[in-house]
Amino acid sequence: MFGVIGNKPDIIIPQGRDFRWGAVIASTTHNASSGYGGYTEAPTVDDYLDKLMEAGGQAVRLYAEPDAEGNLDNTSPPSYGYMNAIFIDVITKCHQRDLHCIIILMDRIRDIRYIPTENNPDNKLVWSLETDLDSYREAEAIATAEYATKFMQRYNQYLDPQRDVIEISNEPELFRNLQKKGTSGEIRTHYFENKTDTFLKHVSEIARRIRTANAAIRIATPGCVAWKQFYLMDQYIAGFPYYKYLNLHWYSDQERRIRNGGFETGVSDVTVFYSNKYNMDLIFTEFNQRGLAFGGANDAPESGDNHQARQIKNFEHVFPKFIKNPRVKYALIYQWSSHPHGPGITEQTYGILYFPGLDISLPKDQQNMKALMTP
């Protein structure tokens, strides 16, 4: 299926099995040259998609962070601005190749500001703080979801209900600081309650607006880190009964802990546990070997070959579980391409596509990443 330098695992998907694997395509979170602005020999979107299909991939995860008017040509945050043409181009090229698209539609919860208190005199975004909202903000949670209606008005014409899934937000327990540090996430008191209630109302309203605009499109819950965020998962499903998929993320450190008995008693397969617990189909929109030095781990320096051998080993653990369980419908690797010009060693080493032998000290126009692409 894929691998590095001749070391490719055998991943067999039985004929007739309703399951697709793929990867996060970072092209939709940066710019037209896939995050390598100014590098004339950088891979294009077409290069990435063709290489993914060559490896056997059948799905991609795309990123959409519209502004309050539903427009992807926004500048907040600046690095994700002006994405309208890129998003349309990528999703069109995916459909031309019969690739399914899992579209992560980011929430707009950060439009709800915190009332200043002695704990936050500068009125910083509470969603980046380990503290609670002053109160449950139901009206604002609903009002700030209006962008979803406007997003669908702009982009519904490019969606294919047979190929596409919309997921809402991404690991809000972490990136919206809903969950209190040092807790497992199993029960309500493990969360900042006003903030969590407001977020839950916000995402259920987003899902309702998507469903109103397109009754056929499949919708997935916000992606959870899949350890024990049971309370959040319970509330997602209770708040919006039309979710098609429970959306989970699963990395090598989690797989290692579950194999060592560190999850629930007697559980060795996370897919069976969650499909049974919620009686739902599952999608895994992120999984992989953790990047080098993740969480401060002392595992670098390490050669790319050794690291990718560890990726292969992790895939050989988890892919058979995904394939065996008929309720797992998609599995998306985070991410397709390693970024030799990324912000740090960890993010640079998540990809299963990388560039051995690239000399990043050369001028931009001499770094022929396209020629070095190695799955």
Side-chain angles (χ1 to χ4, degrees):
M1 185 185 70
F2 51 77
V4 292
I5 311 181
N7 181 17
K8 300 185 179 183
D10 271 331
I11 307 294
I12 307 299
I13 302 173
Q15 187 172 3
R17 169 72 168 92
D18 180 19
F19 171 78
R20 287 175 175 258
W21 76 270
V24 176
I25 300 294
S27 310
T28 56
T29 65
H30 297 284
N31 55 46
S33 58
S34 307
Y36 301 112
Y39 293 86
T40 55
E41 297 299 322
T44 65
V45 168
D46 289 291
D47 292 329
Y48 276 136
L49 297 181
D50 290 342
K51 189 66 76 170
L52 178 66
M53 292 187 68
E54 178 187 325
Q58 301 168 303
V60 300
R61 188 188 192 210
L62 307 179
Y63 189 96
E65 182 157 356
D67 62 17
E69 297 303 312
N71 189 355
L72 291 172
D73 272 352
N74 66 82
T75 57
S76 179
S79 59
Y80 299 151
Y82 308 112
M83 297 304 304
N84 176 74
I86 297 171
F87 179 82
I88 293 170
D89 178 59
V90 174
I91 198 170
T92 300
K93 288 176 175 177
C94 287
H95 291 166
Q96 289 170 347
R97 293 166 169 83
D98 195 29
L99 291 167
H100 288 208
C101 297
I102 316 299
I103 301 159
I104 173 173
L105 179 63
M106 290 305 294
D107 61 76
R108 296 289 308 179
I109 197 69
R110 289 174 295 180
D111 291 343
I112 300 176
R113 301 289 296 191
Y114 188 62
I115 294 176
T117 70
E118 60 183 9
N119 296 323
N120 188 17
D122 298 324
N123 196 22
K124 292 181 180 178
L125 288 176
V126 70
W127 311 100
S128 62
L129 299 173
E130 293 176 30
T131 187
D132 206 355
L133 275 170
D134 55 307
S135 61
Y136 171 43
R137 310 273 276 273
E138 180 178 16
E140 289 172 88
I142 294 171
T144 52
E146 186 179 359
Y147 85 99
T149 297
K150 296 176 179 179
F151 173 84
M152 293 299 288
Q153 289 170 347
R154 292 177 183 271
Y155 300 103
N156 192 29
Q157 62 183 305
Y158 303 105
L159 303 179
D160 181 346
Q162 301 303 312
R163 292 189 178 102
D164 301 332
V165 177
I166 296 179
E167 56 170 313
I168 303 166
S169 193
N170 182 63
E171 296 185 4
E173 63 273 19
L174 299 178
F175 296 117
R176 299 296 179 257
N177 278 283
L178 304 183
Q179 186 175 338
K180 298 174 182 176
K181 279 193 173 179
T183 66
S184 66
E186 296 173 75
I187 58 177
R188 179 173 172 81
T189 56
H190 291 178
Y191 298 86
F192 295 106
E193 295 183 9
N194 289 330
K195 195 157 62 169
T196 300
D197 289 346
T198 302
F199 179 82
L200 289 167
K201 173 57 72 172
H202 180 68
V203 295
S204 66
E205 179 66 14
I206 293 169
R208 188 191 68 79
R209 289 170 178 267
I210 294 169
R211 170 65 68 230
T212 298
N214 188 332
I217 200 74
R218 293 168 291 166
I219 307 174
T221 65
C224 276
V225 293
W227 193 240
K228 291 187 179 182
Q229 280 71 31
F230 303 149
Y231 176 74
L232 272 188
M233 297 178 197
D234 291 345
Q235 299 308 307
Y236 291 148
I237 296 164
F240 185 73
Y242 302 107
Y243 283 121
K244 177 71 173 176
Y245 304 114
L246 181 66
N247 182 4
L248 305 171
H249 296 170
W250 194 248
Y251 283 92
S252 56
D253 54 330
Q254 297 165 290
E255 178 65 17
R256 183 169 57 251
R257 287 163 68 190
I258 202 172
R259 290 202 309 270
N260 293 334
F263 189 60
E264 295 285 279
T265 302
V267 175
S268 61
D269 186 332
V270 69
T271 77
V272 173
F273 175 82
Y274 277 113
S275 61
N276 287 347
K277 180 176 177 63
Y278 290 104
N279 191 28
M280 287 183 71
D281 289 343
L282 309 178
I283 60 173
F284 287 81
T285 52
E286 292 183 22
F287 78 99
N288 203 345
Q289 173 73 25
R290 285 293 189 188
L292 292 180
F294 172 79
N298 186 25
D299 59 356
E302 179 183 26
S303 78
D305 291 353
N306 284 342
H307 177 65
Q308 292 224 337
R310 292 170 63 187
Q311 288 181 307
I312 298 294
K313 185 176 180 180
N314 181 59
F315 295 148
E316 289 173 339
H317 278 299
V318 298
F319 256 108
K321 296 178 181 180
F322 291 159
I323 294 167
K324 183 179 179 180
N325 187 343
R327 303 217 69 169
V328 178
K329 302 301 183 182
Y330 294 92
L332 287 300
I333 299 164
Y334 180 84
Q335 58 183 336
W336 182 227
S337 172
S338 289
H339 283 260
H341 300 282
I345 186 64
T346 301
E347 285 301 315
Q348 288 173 15
T349 53
Y350 271 108
I352 62 168
L353 183 75
Y354 75 130
F355 308 91
L358 181 66
D359 184 352
I360 61 174
S361 68
L362 292 172
K364 290 182 177 183
D365 61 355
Q366 295 179 31
Q367 293 185 33
N368 192 344
M369 289 178 279
K370 189 181 300 189
L372 292 170
M373 292 170 72
T374 302

